[in-house]
Amino acid sequence: MTHARPVFSAAQALRFTFLPPNQAYPRRPVPRGLNIYKSKRFNFSFRPPFDSSRSTPSQEVEPPKIPTTPSPWARRDDAIRHPRVRVVNEDGSLSSPMPLRQVLRTFDPIESSLVELIPASDSYGPICRVMSKKTLRELEYARSRPAKPKKAKLIELNWAIDPNDLEIRLKQMESFLAKGKKVELILTSKPRKRRATQPEAERVLALVKERIQKIGAVQSKPMQGEILGHAQFFLESKQST
C-alpha cells in the first residue's frame, strides 16, 4: 500500500507556527549576474517630481524697431523668401505669423503690394507692410532726385558790437550748429555805425574764435577777409561733416 507524500513536513509546519512570515520562507540565492540591487544598470535614486512653477519660461524675443519706409532693395510680394510673415497693421500693431499666400490674398495686387520692411533673422521672421503702389512710386521718385544743398544760416556782426548783443548772436550760432545746420558768420563795419577801434575788433574776433573752438564747430573753409574789414567764417557741426 502506497502513501501520499505530505506537502509540508513537520519542520516546515513548526517554522510557519513560530517564525514571522518574512523568515518562514527561506531565501533562494540569487545568481551574481542577476543581482539587480548591485547592478549599475538600474538607478533607484530619488528624484523629486517636476514642479512647473519653478521652471524658467522661455523669454520672448522683442520685435525690432520697424522702419516707416522700406529700403530701396526691399523684397515685394512673391519675392519674399519666407513661408510665414508678420504684417504691420494700420494702427501700428504687429500681427501674429501668417502664411505668405494668405496675406497676398487680402489685398488687390493691382493697387497695393506687400513690402518686406525687416528681413527674416534667426530670432524673428520677416516683418512686412501692405503699401499702395502709388506711395512706393513716390518714394522711388523722391530717392532719385538729387538732394538740395542746405542753405547756410547767415549771422552778421559789427566789429563794434555790444558785448551783450555779441553773446546773443553767438548763442544763436551755437543753436544752429546743434541742429546740424551750416552757418556763415560775417564780421563787418556797418555804415552809419560807430567804427570800432583795433583793440575792440581784436577782442570780438578772439571771442568768436574761442566760442567756435569751445562748441567744437568745424570750419569748412578758412576765414576769409581781414580784421576791421569784411571777414567771413564758414562753419559746420561735426555731425554733419
Side-chain angles (χ1 to χ4, degrees):
M1 182 176 179
T2 59
H3 298 279
R5 187 176 180 180
V7 179
F8 298 100
S9 63
Q12 290 177 342
L14 292 174
R15 290 175 64 90
F16 294 147
T17 303
F18 297 102
L19 294 178
N22 59 348
Q23 297 181 8
Y25 296 94
R27 292 185 178 181
R28 295 182 180 181
V30 180
R32 183 177 299 178
L34 297 178
N35 192 350
I36 62 174
Y37 298 100
K38 295 183 179 180
S39 176
K40 296 181 179 179
R41 183 178 177 182
F42 299 92
N43 185 8
F44 294 95
S45 60
F46 174 75
R47 294 182 180 179
F50 176 73
D51 188 1
S52 59
S53 62
R54 296 183 179 180
S55 61
T56 304
S58 58
Q59 296 181 353
E60 296 183 358
V61 180
E62 295 184 359
K65 186 177 180 180
I66 303 173
T68 55
T69 57
S71 62
W73 53 87
R75 300 185 183 95
R76 301 182 187 179
D77 301 326
D78 293 330
I80 299 174
R81 303 174 183 175
H82 206 276
R84 299 177 69 84
V85 297
R86 303 186 74 171
V87 182
V88 180
N89 300 318
E90 294 182 358
D91 58 354
S93 61
L94 197 61
S95 70
S96 57
M98 302 171 60
L100 175 62
R101 297 301 174 187
Q102 179 181 348
V103 177
L104 293 177
R105 291 194 296 266
T106 58
F107 59 88
D108 185 4
I110 299 177
E111 299 292 336
S112 303
S113 182
L114 183 67
V115 185
E116 186 182 61
L117 300 178
I118 300 178
S121 61
D122 296 337
S123 58
Y124 226 81
I127 298 177
C128 307
R129 183 193 294 271
V130 179
M131 302 182 65
S132 66
K133 292 187 176 181
K134 180 181 178 181
T135 303
L136 294 173
R137 287 193 296 267
E138 291 176 354
L139 289 174
E140 292 176 357
Y141 176 73
R143 292 191 183 105
S144 62
R145 296 180 61 185
K148 295 182 179 180
K150 296 181 180 180
K151 293 183 178 181
K153 294 293 182 178
L154 183 62
I155 298 178
E156 189 172 344
L157 305 177
N158 184 14
W159 289 109
I161 189 171
D162 182 79
N164 294 331
D165 294 339
L166 176 61
E167 182 64 24
I168 293 174
R169 296 297 180 87
L170 292 179
K171 287 183 178 180
Q172 186 180 14
M173 176 194 70
E174 186 175 353
S175 176
F176 287 148
L177 293 172
K179 296 177 182 178
K181 299 180 180 180
K182 298 181 180 180
V183 175
E184 182 180 352
L185 184 65
I186 298 176
L187 291 166
T188 186
S189 296
K190 294 184 178 181
R192 300 179 183 178
K193 294 287 185 179
R194 183 181 67 85
R195 184 175 178 83
T197 61
Q198 184 73 20
E200 288 177 340
E202 292 177 354
R203 181 183 61 84
V204 171
L205 183 60
L207 291 174
V208 170
K209 290 183 177 180
E210 181 182 355
R211 182 62 62 89
I212 292 173
Q213 185 178 4
K214 181 179 179 181
I215 63 179
V218 178
Q219 296 189 47
S220 57
K221 298 179 183 179
M223 187 191 86
Q224 298 179 2
E226 57 184 8
I227 193 169
L228 285 176
H230 189 82
Q232 288 178 288
F233 288 90
F234 302 93
L235 306 175
E236 297 180 10
S237 63
K238 288 185 178 180
Q239 298 177 356
S240 60
T241 55

